[in-house]
Amino acid sequence: MWHHSFMCKPIFFQSLPSDDLETEEIHLPDESVPPQEERKYLVFHSALLQLFSLCLLCGSGKQKLRLETIGSFLSITQICTLCEHVRTWSSQPFIRNTPAGNLLISAAVLFAGAIPQQALNVFACLRLHCISARTFFRHQRMTLHLAIKNVWSRKQEGMFAALHEGGQALILGGDGRADSPGHSAKYGSYTLMDLRTKKILTLQLVQSNEVGSSNAMEKEGLARAIDFIRRNCTLQIGKIVTDRHLQIAKWIRENLPETCHLYDIWHIAKGLRKKLSALAKQKECEVVGDWTNSIVNHLYWCSTTTREGAGDLVEGKWLSLDNHLHNVHSGHSEAFPQCAHGPLRRQWLKPNTKASVKLSAIITKKSLLKDIRKLSPKYQTAHLEAFHSTINHFAPKWAAFFYMGMLSRLHLAALHHNENCGRGQARNKDGERIYKIRYKKFKKSCTVQAVQGSCTFDYVTELTEEAVRLCEEAIVDDDLMEIPPTLTSTSGADRLNKEAAIQAHRTRFSIDE
Ligand SMILES: [Zn+2]
Ligand SMILES: [Zn+2]
């Protein structure tokens, strides 16, 4: 029998080829560690019963066992039918009244950013005794949301303390994210990042039914985020870099008059490229397609080679393009009289052709020139875009979440991002930097990319410790039910009655109980 060889020949395992083999010797009594740090093993029913096959007192093999489970917790009562000796054994410790394994499963599912129903299905497929979805949501509501809130608040306090110590005016990047349409509850989140450290300082979650359109949601998110910064930080907001939404620009002009508002290049370049591609598809304008990449590169060059605030120079550089495209390389403007390049051979545009006229119109358009004067030369919001894909891991757009679930997952994404945004390039055993080569389809070319070091998950350890502490001390926070927060302004918004909103919210939560 299998279990026979298991008991007699443990050496058998060492002859099995496996990457996962680890061996260890332990002398009893072993030192005790907190439940979240203890290792857990997957034990099969048949293997477990072997441990209860004999009476510890009289050695008889005639035993009666009573098995009781609470989720992942198992207790076995062993009764000897010969000498009536009773022995009780538990598979895991308790944290106050909760089996530790049950709370830790809920914590692991949420903190890893897994979707509970999927994770619990994995256990069900394995026929592993596990908690129900109801229990998961109870743990989440009673303990885990609060654990995330506490840990995130502590991290924020630490970040603001470090910023105050530095004493420099803040350089912020802001961007909004809307979830996909079609969900019954529609959220928008707004993120403010410290562009020096690339760390998320605050995240605000807005429900569309609070404010209406998604543009209004973004503006409300920004207003709440700035309000939060103001309440927690006395430093001046020196610069803020965003994309070029008109409503956002207006709000910043009116509410942050001391702050320099700059635009992220990538967002402007994206809009420009779209216009150029559309033009290149028109008849007699195919030549524009050959110029698209150069024009977009020129936009980056104009901004990144010009010091911030030199609006005339950056505009002069940009407008020189209109001459350059027609093979004219000097006499551009006072700020930027001539091109900086050497001799070039290209397919120049012919004046007064359709392509020339239409392309000039795009390049010299007033609104574009206004945007170009406000391009941010140094600080961009690319890391915010990257953060949005981290959010997609923790809160995938196909999954629907209640308000607190969504908020907790946003904070998890921020904790993950902040811990890992500063990690450097991966190195091999000899300490050399690791690169990977990416081959581009169709182009027969390749690019070399630095491989990032692996992520760390210290925040998960901290969150789990906090969850265990809250459970141990029976701490709950009723305020977490009093959400979503009230609007920063009530003008023009079809604001819900707060009482009704809370009532509706509680009713929705009770479905999960
Ligand atoms: Zn006995
Ligand atoms: Zn030129």
Side-chain angles (χ1 to χ4, degrees):
M1 265 171 77
W2 165 250
H3 68 261
H4 195 251
S5 58
F6 162 77
M7 290 172 82
C8 302
K9 293 182 198 164
I11 197 79
F12 172 70
F13 289 110
Q14 289 166 26
S15 65
L16 285 174
S18 168
D19 291 340
D20 300 331
L21 181 66
E22 282 173 35
T23 49
E24 184 185 25
E25 270 180 30
I26 294 170
H27 292 276
L28 295 176
D30 196 14
E31 59 182 300
S32 78
V33 286
Q36 68 273 22
E37 286 171 32
E38 256 192 77
R39 274 168 298 173
K40 292 92 184 165
Y41 303 93
L42 185 64
V43 182
F44 279 52
H45 181 82
S46 56
L48 187 66
L49 293 196
Q50 288 165 26
L51 303 178
F52 299 90
S53 58
L54 298 175
C55 174
L56 285 186
L57 206 64
C58 74
S60 161
K62 294 197 183 319
Q63 304 295 307
K64 198 171 92 184
L65 303 181
R66 197 171 68 231
L67 277 65
E68 247 177 312
T69 58
I70 311 168
S72 68
F73 171 87
L74 166 68
S75 128
I76 297 180
T77 308
Q78 176 183 8
I79 303 150
C80 177
T81 52
L82 199 69
C83 77
E84 296 188 338
H85 174 67
V86 178
R87 169 195 174 203
T88 308
W89 173 88
S90 302
S91 68
Q92 41 180 274
F94 274 74
I95 304 168
R96 210 176 177 94
N97 299 323
T98 308
N102 291 352
L103 180 71
L104 292 175
I105 285 173
S106 298
V109 167
L110 181 62
F111 299 160
I115 303 302
Q117 205 54 62
Q118 276 188 331
L120 298 181
N121 275 345
V122 171
F123 298 136
C125 289
L126 196 56
R127 301 214 173 189
L128 186 70
H129 246 277
C130 194
I131 54 169
S132 64
R134 259 170 78 126
T135 302
F136 169 86
F137 285 111
R138 185 163 44 80
H139 289 153
Q140 183 175 260
R141 197 177 63 249
M142 302 295 287
T143 308
L144 304 179
H145 285 326
L146 182 57
I148 293 171
K149 183 189 164 203
N150 289 353
V151 170
W152 173 238
S153 300
R154 280 207 293 267
K155 296 276 184 196
Q156 280 180 309
E157 279 166 28
M159 283 190 288
F160 284 120
L163 286 170
H164 279 119
E165 205 167 301
Q168 286 178 290
L170 298 174
I171 299 175
L172 301 177
D175 203 7
R177 171 194 187 263
D179 76 345
S180 59
H183 289 164
S184 53
K186 195 169 183 295
Y187 305 110
S189 60
Y190 200 89
T191 309
L192 279 182
M193 178 182 272
D194 170 28
L195 290 181
R196 285 199 190 90
T197 60
K198 313 285 185 283
K199 287 194 175 174
I200 310 295
L201 294 179
T202 180
L203 265 166
Q204 299 293 326
L205 180 61
V206 185
Q207 297 203 86
S208 64
N209 63 5
E210 292 176 89
V211 291
S213 71
S214 74
N215 274 342
M217 215 150 58
E218 181 156 354
K219 194 180 77 177
E220 175 65 21
L222 171 68
R224 285 184 198 175
I226 292 291
D227 182 53
F228 178 86
I229 299 274
R230 283 259 170 83
R231 278 187 282 114
N232 289 278
C233 182
T234 53
L235 295 170
Q236 239 209 322
I237 302 173
K239 293 172 197 166
I240 184 164
V241 184
T242 69
D243 58 14
R244 55 170 303 286
H245 287 180
L246 289 177
Q247 272 197 321
I248 294 286
K250 183 166 177 279
W251 190 91
I252 292 173
R253 215 165 44 237
E254 288 169 358
N255 294 277
L256 296 171
E258 307 286 300
T259 300
C260 172
H261 183 202
L262 298 168
Y263 293 149
D264 174 67
I265 304 179
W266 181 82
H267 283 95
I268 305 288
K270 192 173 133 190
L272 177 66
R273 184 182 288 279
K274 220 169 132 186
K275 283 196 181 121
L276 296 174
S277 303
L279 178 57
K281 281 187 190 128
Q282 291 186 22
K283 251 188 197 163
E284 299 165 46
C285 295
E286 294 82 358
V287 63
V288 174
D290 300 334
W291 279 101
T292 302
N293 282 336
S294 307
I295 293 173
V296 172
N297 287 343
H298 181 67
L299 181 76
Y300 277 89
W301 178 82
C302 289
S303 171
T304 54
T305 59
T306 311
R307 76 185 155 76
E308 191 188 300
D312 289 344
L313 181 56
V314 74
E315 187 178 324
K317 282 180 177 176
W318 171 252
L319 284 174
S320 74
L321 180 67
D322 200 25
N323 280 340
H324 174 90
L325 291 168
H326 299 89
N327 202 14
V328 176
H329 306 286
S330 58
H332 302 319
S333 64
E334 203 176 306
F336 187 68
Q338 61 184 48
C339 290
H341 58 78
L344 284 176
R345 292 189 67 186
R346 292 216 49 164
Q347 172 92 49
W348 306 108
L349 290 188
K350 291 192 182 74
N352 301 320
T353 55
K354 185 180 169 192
S356 160
V357 171
K358 293 217 162 190
L359 187 52
S360 289
I362 292 177
I363 290 168
T364 58
K365 198 174 176 201
K366 276 256 165 63
S367 59
L368 178 64
L369 297 182
K370 232 173 119 187
D371 290 348
I372 284 174
R373 293 179 78 95
K374 292 180 79 175
L375 284 179
S376 174
K378 185 172 176 192
Y379 294 101
Q380 310 301 335
T381 59
H383 283 84
L384 266 173
E385 302 292 327
F387 172 62
H388 285 170
S389 57
T390 305
I391 294 183
N392 288 342
H393 166 77
F394 285 93
K397 289 194 176 187
W398 55 263
F401 302 100
F402 291 121
Y403 185 88
M404 265 318 290
M406 190 68 194
L407 187 62
S408 282
R409 281 165 187 271
L410 288 176
H411 287 154
L412 284 170
L415 286 166
H416 180 87
H417 172 92
N418 286 358
E419 182 170 324
N420 289 290
C421 63
R423 89 197 124 108
Q425 194 174 345
R427 289 172 188 268
N428 64 17
K429 280 181 202 155
D430 302 324
E432 295 159 343
R433 293 171 196 277
I434 303 176
Y435 295 90
K436 70 179 169 196
I437 294 179
R438 279 203 157 173
Y439 294 93
K440 284 187 181 165
K441 271 187 205 167
F442 314 119
K443 281 195 173 171
K444 288 187 181 167
S445 66
C446 62
T447 54
V448 178
Q449 279 188 337
V451 174
Q452 292 240 293
S454 352
C455 290
T456 60
F457 299 89
D458 292 348
Y459 66 97
V460 173
T461 308
E462 204 172 322
L463 285 165
T464 312
E465 265 168 28
E466 179 68 4
V468 169
R469 185 187 73 86
L470 293 172
C471 183
E472 233 159 30
E473 297 174 18
I475 299 171
V476 287
D477 183 357
D478 290 332
D479 285 352
L480 283 188
M481 307 293 176
E482 300 259 344
I483 41 161
T486 47
L487 291 173
T488 50
S489 67
T490 50
S491 59
D494 52 332
R495 186 180 167 186
L496 287 178
N497 176 294
K498 191 182 170 194
E499 285 300 317
I502 293 167
Q503 198 50 52
H505 178 80
R506 287 202 163 132
T507 314
R508 270 183 284 141
F509 265 99
S510 67
I511 299 166
D512 294 328
E513 279 183 77

